[in-house]
C-alpha cells in the first residue's frame, strides 16, 4: 500500500455528534428487539417483528450512515465529486430502505421504558395526539416527494454546492436535508409504521416509487454528460488523489447518481411487486360453486323490457 | 401487538438506565470539537509557492476570534510536469505572532491532528484581538517561508449557543401550547 492510499485509509473523522445518536438508536432498537424476542405472552406478531434479519438490516443501515459521515468517504468528499456522490447515495438511497425495511418504530418503542413509550404515543401517534395533525400534514407523500426533489436539485446548484463545500455547517445542513426527505420518501415506499396516513396498496407504492426515479436520474444524466466543470470548487483543491481530472471526476459522480441511484428504485419496485404477488397468492381461492349458485355468472337482465318497434 | 400496552415493568433496562445512556451520549456529543475537518474555513494562501512545494492554508473559525483557532495546511509537489501530488509526512511548522510584536508561538503542524490525513493541521490559542502574523515553513527547506496576516476578533460569548438553543426550545414549546389551545377551543 503506497503512502497516499495509507493516508486515505486513515482519514476517519470520529464525530461524536454523529456517532452518539446512531449508537443510541442502535441500542434502543436492540433492546426493543430483545424484549420482543423474550416476551412469553407474545403471539406471532412479536416473533415476526423480532426476526434476526430485522436486527441485521437495521444495524447495516446505521453502519452505512456512519460510513457515509465519518469514514474516508466523508473526508475525501471535499476533494472528489465522486466521493461526495457516493456519500449522498449512501445517505439517501442505501441507508433509508435498510432501516425502514425493519419496520423500526414498534421495535424502537419497545426499547423505551413503558412510561416513555406511552408518553410518546400520547404526544405523537394516538388519534387524539396534539402533534398528529401537524405531523400528518408535514409528512404527506406529496410533501416528501417534493422536499426530496427540491433539496436534491437545489443543493446541486453550482453556487449552493460550492458554498456547502466551503462552510462546514452548510455541508452538514445539506446532508440533513438530503437524509430527512429521503427517509420520508422511503417511509412511504416501504409502508412501515407509524401509520399516520391512509394505507396505500402495493401498486400505488410501485407508482410512487417510479415517480421518484426522475428526480435522481435526470440530474445524474445532466451532470454526467456536461462538457464543462459545473462545481468549480474542485478546481481550487490543491491536489487530487489518483490524478483524476476535475471533469472526469464530475462525469463519474454524475454516472454514480444516475445508475446506482436509479437502481435502488428499480430494486424497490421489484420487491413491492413481489410482495403484491405474494399477497395475491395468499388470498383464499374463489368459491366458484357458491358464486354460480348465487347467480353471479348469469348474464345481467336488461334494466327495462325491450319494446319491439312497429 | 401494540407497543403501548403494558403494565409490566421492565426488569433489565428502565428509565434510569435510559437516562444514564442519554447522559453518556450527551456528554460525548457535547465534547464534540468545532467542525474543522478536511481543510474547511477561510483560504489564506492558495497554491502559493514554498520552495519545491505548492502551499495552501485555511484558518478557522471564520473570522478568527480570541480562543481556539485551527489551521489547515496542504502541501503539494509537482513531479515531471504531471499534476500536483500530495506531499505527505513532511515536517511543517507554523509560527504565530501579533503583528505589533509580542511573544511568538512555534507549533508543529501534523497529520496526527488532521481528520483528512492528506492535510496537516494544528489547534492553538489566540490570546488577544488585533492583527496576527502567520508564518509557515518546512523542516527540509527552512530558508523558504510563506506568510500571511489575519485580524483576530473578540471572543464570542460562551452563552450565545445555549441561549439561542434555549430560545429555540422555548419558541417550540410556546408554539406547541398555542396549537393545543387552538385545537381545544370550540
Amino acid at each position: 500500500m503506497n503512502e497516499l492510499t495509507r493516508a486515505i485509509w486513515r482519514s476517519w473523522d470520529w464525530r461524536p455528534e454523529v456517532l452518539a445518536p446512531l449508537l443510541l438508536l442502535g441500542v434502543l432498537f436492540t433492546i426493543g428487539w430483545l424484549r420482543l424476542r423474550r416476551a412469553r405472552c407474545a403471539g406471532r406478531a412479536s416473533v415476526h417483528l423480532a426476526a434476526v434479519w430485522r436486527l441485521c438490516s437495521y444495524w447495516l443501515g446505521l453502519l452505512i450512515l456512519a460510513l457515509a459521515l465519518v469514514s474516508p468517504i466523508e473526508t475525501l468528499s471535499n476533494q472528489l465529486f465522486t466521493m461526495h456522490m457516493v456519500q449522498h447515495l449512501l445517505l439517501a438511497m442505501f441507508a433509508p430502505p435498510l432501516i425502514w425495511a425493519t419496520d423500526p418504530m414498534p421495535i424502537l418503542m419497545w426499547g423505551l421504558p413503558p412510561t416513555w413509550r406511552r408518553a410518546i404515543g400520547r404526544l405523537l401517534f394516538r388519534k387524539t395526539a396534539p402533534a398528529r395533525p401537524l405531523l400528518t400534514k408535514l409528512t404527506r407523500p406529496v410533501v416528501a416527494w417534493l422536499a426530496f426533489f427540491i433539496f436534491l436539485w437545489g443543493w446541486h446548484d453550482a453556487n449552493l454546492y460550492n458554498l456547502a463545500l466551503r462552510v462546514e455547517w452548510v455541508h452538514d445542513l445539506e446532508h440533513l436535508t438530503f437524509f430527512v426527505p429521503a427517509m420520508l420518501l422511503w417511509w412511504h415506499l416501504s409502508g412501515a409504521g407509524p401509520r399516520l396516513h391512509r394505507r396505500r396498496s402495493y401498486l400505488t407504492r410501485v407508482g410512487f416509487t417510479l415517480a421518484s426515479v426522475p428526480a435522481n436520474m435526470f440530474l445524474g444524466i445532466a451532470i454526467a454528460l456536461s462538457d464543462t466543470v459545473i462545481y468549480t470548487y474542485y478546481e481550487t483543491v490543491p491536489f487530487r488523489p489518483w490524478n483524476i481530472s476535475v471533469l472526469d471526476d464530475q462525469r463519474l459522480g454524475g454516472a454514480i447518481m444516475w445508475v446506482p441511484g436509479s437502481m435502488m428504485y428499480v430494486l424497490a419496485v421489484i420487491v413491492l411487486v413481489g410482495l403484491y404477488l405474494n399477497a395475491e397468492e395468499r388470498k383464499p381461492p374463489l368459491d366458484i360453486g357458491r358464486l354460480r349458485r348465487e347467480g353471479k355468472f348469469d348474464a345481467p337482465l336488461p334494466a327495462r323490457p325491450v319494446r319491439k318497434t312497429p | 401487538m401494540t407497543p403501548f400496552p403494558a403494565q409490566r415493568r421492565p426488569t433489565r433496562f428502565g428509565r434510569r438506565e435510559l437516562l444514564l445512556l442519554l447522559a453518556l451520549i450527551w456528554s460525548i456529543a457535547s465534547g464534540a470539537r468545532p467542525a474543522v475537518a478536511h481543510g474547511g474555513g477561510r483560504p489564506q494562501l492558495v497554491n502559493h509557492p514554498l520552495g519545491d512545494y505548492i502551499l495552501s492554508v485555511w484558518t478557522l473559525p471564520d473570522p478568527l476570534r480570541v480562543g481556539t483557532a485551527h489551521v489547515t495546511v496542504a502541501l503539494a509537489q509537482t513531479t515531471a510536469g504531471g499534476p500536483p501530488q500530495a506531499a505527505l509526512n513532511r515536517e511543517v511548522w507554523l509560527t504565530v505572532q501579533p503583528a505589533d510584536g509580542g511573544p511568538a508561538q512555534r507549533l508543529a503542524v501534523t497529520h496526527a491532528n488532521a481528520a483528512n490525513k492528506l492535510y496537516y493541521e494544528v489547534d492553538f490559542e489566540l490570546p488577544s484581538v488585533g492583527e496576527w502574523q502567520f508564518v509557515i515553513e518546512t523542516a527540509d527547506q527552512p530558508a523558504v517561508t510563506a506568510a500571511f496576516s489575519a485580524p483576530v476578533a473578540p471572543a464570542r460569548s460562551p452563552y450565545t449557543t445555549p441561549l439561542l438553543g434555549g430560545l429555540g426550545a422555548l419558541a417550540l414549546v410556546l408554539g406547541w401550547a398555542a396549537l393545543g389551545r387552538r385545537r381545544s377551543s370550540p
Side-chain angles (χ1 to χ4, degrees):
Chain A
M1 197 185 284
N2 67 21
E3 205 177 36
L4 180 77
T5 313
R6 202 177 314 128
I8 288 171
W9 274 113
R10 287 171 51 225
S11 296
W12 289 75
D13 187 11
W14 302 108
R15 299 174 67 182
E17 71 274 25
V18 171
L19 294 173
L22 292 181
L23 184 69
L24 174 67
L25 286 169
V27 168
L28 277 182
F29 188 91
T30 309
I31 291 166
W33 184 84
L34 285 171
R35 279 188 181 159
L36 277 167
R37 222 168 159 76
R38 283 191 198 132
R40 286 183 189 167
C41 57
R44 284 181 60 196
S46 88
V47 175
H48 178 67
L49 268 177
V52 176
W53 72 264
R54 286 179 198 269
L55 189 69
C56 298
S57 174
Y58 190 83
W59 274 102
L60 187 60
L62 294 186
L63 187 71
I64 285 175
L65 282 181
L67 268 180
L69 296 171
V70 303
S71 77
I73 294 171
E74 154 72 5
T75 40
L76 280 183
S77 68
N78 270 36
Q79 281 170 292
L80 292 172
F81 179 74
T82 305
M83 279 297 167
H84 208 179
M85 290 306 103
V86 169
Q87 185 182 38
H88 291 176
L89 199 69
L90 295 177
L91 282 175
M93 295 288 158
F94 282 74
L98 281 168
I99 290 172
W100 285 121
T102 64
D103 201 357
M105 185 263 178
I107 306 175
L108 284 170
M109 295 300 266
W110 272 93
L112 293 168
T115 43
W116 290 44
R117 209 184 296 165
R118 279 193 289 271
I120 289 175
R122 220 170 20 244
L123 277 173
L124 298 176
F125 302 127
R126 279 201 185 148
K127 291 257 157 86
T128 53
R132 189 172 167 128
L134 186 66
L135 263 183
T136 309
K137 269 184 196 163
L138 287 178
T139 58
R140 279 181 183 158
V142 174
V143 176
W145 187 88
L146 272 177
F148 184 71
F149 185 86
I150 288 168
F151 282 119
L152 185 73
W153 282 69
W155 281 117
H156 284 88
D157 166 71
N159 292 323
L160 276 179
Y161 189 94
N162 289 338
L163 181 72
L165 290 177
R166 287 205 177 92
V167 185
E168 185 87 15
W169 71 264
V170 180
H171 198 182
D172 288 339
L173 183 70
E174 179 195 42
H175 289 164
L176 197 69
T177 49
F178 274 148
F179 180 65
V180 172
M183 282 296 276
L184 280 179
L185 193 74
W186 283 100
W187 172 47
H188 289 294
L189 300 184
S190 69
R195 303 198 197 289
L196 296 177
H197 307 90
R198 192 161 51 86
R199 199 184 170 103
R200 318 267 163 189
S201 71
Y202 285 120
L203 291 183
T204 312
R205 276 149 60 192
V206 166
F208 190 47
T209 311
L210 291 174
S212 308
V213 176
N216 225 42
M217 197 176 75
F218 289 130
L219 184 60
I221 291 173
I223 293 171
L225 300 184
S226 172
D227 285 332
T228 52
V229 175
I230 303 169
Y231 305 113
T232 48
Y233 172 89
Y234 290 108
E235 290 179 322
T236 65
V237 169
F239 44 79
R240 305 181 57 75
W242 304 299
N243 286 343
I244 182 169
S245 74
V246 179
L247 195 57
D248 287 346
D249 179 33
Q250 184 175 289
R251 285 176 177 153
L252 183 61
I256 285 174
M257 182 192 271
W258 172 10
V259 182
S262 308
M263 281 303 293
M264 289 307 291
Y265 290 121
V266 175
L267 274 177
V269 167
I270 292 171
V271 170
L272 285 171
V273 169
L275 289 171
Y276 167 72
L277 293 176
N278 204 17
E280 285 296 307
E281 265 182 24
R282 268 191 262 142
K283 281 184 182 171
L286 288 175
D287 187 349
I288 302 290
R290 185 175 60 82
L291 291 173
R292 186 166 289 146
R293 279 194 302 280
E294 288 171 1
K296 300 284 188 201
F297 293 126
D298 295 348
L301 292 170
R304 288 180 187 173
V306 182
R307 285 184 187 169
K308 283 182 184 172
T309 50
Chain B
M1 174 156 206
T2 167
F4 315 108
Q7 295 304 316
R8 292 173 57 218
R9 289 190 65 77
T11 50
R12 285 164 192 268
F13 190 86
R15 195 192 315 182
R16 200 188 311 165
E17 285 76 11
L18 186 69
L19 279 172
L20 276 174
L21 184 68
L22 281 173
L24 176 72
I25 286 168
W26 174 253
S27 64
I28 295 170
S30 60
R33 62 194 165 76
V36 288
H38 47 72
R42 172 172 292 223
Q44 300 286 2
L45 295 172
V46 179
N47 296 331
H48 185 88
L50 180 73
D52 294 339
Y53 302 115
I54 304 162
L55 174 78
S56 298
V57 183
W58 298 262
T59 54
L60 264 176
D62 183 20
L64 285 168
R65 290 183 180 278
V66 169
T68 305
H70 186 84
V71 169
T72 304
V73 172
L75 270 189
Q77 207 165 16
T78 312
T79 47
Q85 288 298 301
L88 302 173
N89 301 318
R90 306 297 197 272
E91 205 175 306
V92 183
W93 293 91
L94 167 71
T95 306
V96 192
Q97 191 173 21
D100 55 1
Q105 301 179 57
R106 190 172 148 82
L107 308 147
V109 193
T110 63
H111 292 307
N113 293 325
N116 185 338
K117 303 296 179 196
L118 301 178
Y119 292 153
Y120 303 81
E121 296 184 15
V122 66
D123 284 319
F124 58 95
E125 291 295 314
L126 284 170
S128 61
V129 294
E131 198 71 11
W132 280 70
Q133 186 80 16
F134 298 77
V135 181
I136 307 278
E137 65 188 279
T138 57
D140 54 338
Q141 294 172 27
V144 195
T145 60
F148 63 92
S149 61
V152 174
R156 183 171 278 167
S157 162
Y159 303 111
T160 307
T161 310
L163 193 68
L164 285 176
L167 283 174
L170 188 67
L172 274 177
V173 170
L174 289 176
W176 189 290
L179 270 177
R181 189 170 296 170
R182 192 192 295 174
R183 273 167 51 77
S184 60
S185 63

